[in-house]
Amino acid sequence: MSTVRIVEVSKQLPKHSRQTSDILPFVDLWLSGQEDRFRRKVIKIFEGAGVDCRYGIMDIEEVFTATSFEEKNTIYVREVKSLGEQVLRKSLTKANWQPDSLDYIITVSCTGIMIPSLDAYLVNSLSLRQDIVRLPVTEMGCAAGVSGLIYAANFLRSNPGKRAAIIAVESPTATFQLDDFSMANMVSAAIFGDGAACVLLSSVGEDQGPEIVGEEMYHFKDATHLMGFDLTNTGLKMILDPAVPEVIANHFPNIVHPFLKRLGSNIEKVDHLIFHPGGKKIVQTVEELFGKLGKDIDDTRQVLKDYGNMSSVTVLYVLERFLEKEITREEQGLILSFGPGFSAQRVLLEW
């Protein structure tokens, strides 16, 4: 079996950005027809979300303008193609790889609909090989960035001397519902932002980077109601159950400890936590669980603060921070993300 390494991680930010403090007047205006108490509560949610800044494929005025699903999805398709191409080019340049050295391309997104999927356009725009293997990952939400790592690791492990790229591009702002005053829409509006990331992986002997020691998915039974989208005439409407942090906490020991044990490791041996910042409450929940073990998730909190939750992309921004650090040989990192299904995806790295 081949050794699989993560060679490069790059990020690409959309062209628009706003501080949360600049967004609040728009939120206030949007909720002007609602009760004062409700309005104050929503403003508090935005202020307390742990997100200072976020990026978007649309300017804030456009986000708060009533448009059809078709109009928003058209912007999504245009911008996803642009961001996807930019971030893949950036990664290939940083790794000094030629586009035609890629054997496998995985594209990840759940915040819009496009057929053919993004990977087909990238084959053309970067002149990728005609025999490249394509895999679009479209309906796994926040967990899908790590799902992409799992699929790539499996492909590369069974195919020595090959290279793979994962390109994740998400625009939760394209799913924002102007006429939905549910708590799920309020909370998601407060925590989500847009972004793109690319991860290059390899089973070529001389390529360098942390090794993927093992990877697994964990599926929560009878939990499909916890998170997802309803497809409505106005677009993708967020489903977000407030019980999510509690459910994660209850399953946490089963998610982490048996997985590490199967790989001959344990939580004491894990030096770095590369955790998806789903939102402030989930970050706090995981911090309480890990804090007792003397671990911190400062990088996770910082990514949430600087960019918001960008769905599948976010954990890859956290991963990029770790690839830029000076990490000692044989130190381990645990990548962990959660998403609709409900599921948890785990990858163990070793430097």
Side-chain angles (χ1 to χ4, degrees), residues 23 26-28 30 46 59-66 72 176 178 189:
I23 294 169
F26 289 93
V27 176
D28 208 35
W30 170 48
F46 270 82
D59 194 28
I60 190 75
E61 285 87 359
E62 260 185 304
V63 177
F64 283 98
T65 304
K72 276 187 176 164
F176 173 66
L178 207 55

Side-chain angles (χ1 to χ4, degrees), residues 10-12 76 80 83-84 87-88 105-111 118 122 137 141-142 144-146 148 165-171 194-199 310-317:
S10 301
K11 63 177 181 282
Q12 185 68 46
Y76 162 87
V80 161
L83 288 165
V87 79
L88 178 53
I105 184 173
I106 299 171
T107 50
V108 178
S109 192
C110 69
T111 40
L118 172 60
L122 295 175
V137 180
C142 294
V146 183
I166 302 161
I167 301 98
V169 190
E170 297 285 14
S171 174
D194 301 351
C198 176
V199 185
M310 301 163 284
S311 190
S312 67
V313 172
T314 330
V315 74
L316 304 179
Y317 277 42

Side-chain angles (χ1 to χ4, degrees), residues 26-329:
F26 289 93
V27 176
D28 208 35
L29 189 64
W30 170 48
L31 300 175
S32 57
Q34 304 297 306
E35 286 179 13
D36 267 3
R37 192 160 148 246
F38 177 76
R39 206 161 83 204
R40 285 198 302 271
K41 185 180 179 180
V42 173
I43 293 289
K44 258 202 169 78
I45 290 169
F46 270 82
E47 288 173 339
V51 180
D52 285 1
C53 180
R54 73 199 73 206
Y55 292 76
I57 62 167
M58 292 176 258
D59 194 28
I60 190 75
E61 285 87 359
E62 260 185 304
V63 177
F64 283 98
T65 304
T67 53
S68 67
F69 182 24
E70 184 182 346
E71 286 169 309
K72 276 187 176 164
N73 200 69
T74 300
I75 297 169
Y76 162 87
V77 169
R78 182 189 72 214
E79 295 301 319
V80 161
K81 285 195 261 189
S82 169
L83 288 165
E85 182 181 339
Q86 287 175 64
V87 79
L88 178 53
R89 283 192 190 279
K90 186 187 279 186
S91 264
L92 290 168
T93 302
K94 277 165 73 177
N96 202 19
W97 286 8
Q98 292 305 312
D100 64 5
S101 74
L102 290 176
D103 302 281
Y104 191 40
I105 184 173
I106 299 171
T107 50
V108 178
S109 192
C110 69
T111 40
I113 295 164
M114 57 191 291
I115 301 171
S117 50
L118 172 60
D119 37 87
Y121 295 96
L122 295 175
V123 167
N124 292 322
S125 59
L126 276 91
S127 297
L128 302 179
R129 290 212 317 270
Q130 282 190 289
D131 65 347
I132 196 165
V133 177
R134 290 168 47 205
L135 175 66
V137 180
T138 55
E139 283 136 8
M140 297 181 83
C142 294
V146 183
S147 304
L149 291 175
I150 291 171
Y151 301 141
N154 277 294
F155 174 85
L156 292 169
R157 201 168 281 126
S158 52
N159 290 282
K162 302 284 186 187
R163 287 171 168 175
I166 302 161
I167 301 98
V169 190
E170 297 285 14
S171 174
T173 56
T175 72
F176 173 66
Q177 297 291 307
L178 207 55
D179 299 320
D180 174 12
F181 298 103
S182 68
M183 264 303 134
N185 194 42
M186 301 302 134
V187 171
S188 62
I191 63 173
F192 281 105
D194 301 351
C198 176
V199 185
L200 300 181
L201 302 95
S202 176
S203 58
V204 175
E206 59 269 22
D207 287 344
Q208 296 299 305
E211 180 188 344
I212 293 182
V213 179
E215 65 290 319
E216 275 182 21
M217 297 187 179
Y218 177 99
H219 303 291
F220 296 59
K221 293 282 177 68
D222 304 317
T224 51
H225 62 283
L226 287 177
M227 195 184 278
F229 283 123
D230 275 331
L231 181 55
T232 70
N233 287 333
T234 54
L236 295 163
K237 185 177 171 182
M238 177 62 74
I239 302 163
L240 192 60
D241 196 301
V244 165
E246 186 192 341
V247 172
I248 288 173
N250 293 340
H251 282 260
F252 207 74
N254 290 337
I255 293 166
V256 173
H257 302 306
F259 167 67
L260 292 174
K261 191 178 177 183
R262 279 191 286 276
L263 295 170
S265 185
N266 56 53
I267 199 66
E268 285 74 31
K269 286 184 187 171
V270 173
D271 307 280
H272 309 287
L273 300 173
I274 305 157
F275 176 70
H276 168 71
K280 193 178 175 183
K281 277 189 180 161
I282 293 176
V283 170
Q284 284 170 343
T285 302
V286 173
E287 189 163 48
E288 281 162 24
L289 295 160
F290 276 131
K292 294 167 191 163
L293 303 162
K295 317 281 178 189
D296 74 67
I297 51 168
D298 295 345
D299 289 279
T300 287
R301 191 188 290 99
Q302 195 61 45
V303 167
L304 184 68
K305 191 179 175 194
D306 294 345
Y307 309 103
N309 179 355
M310 301 163 284
S311 190
S312 67
V313 172
T314 330
V315 74
L316 304 179
Y317 277 42
V318 182
L319 177 60
E320 185 201 34
R321 290 172 71 93
F322 283 91
L323 256 70
E324 288 173 346
K325 295 182 187 199
E326 288 294 323
I327 291 178
T328 312
R329 231 177 126 80

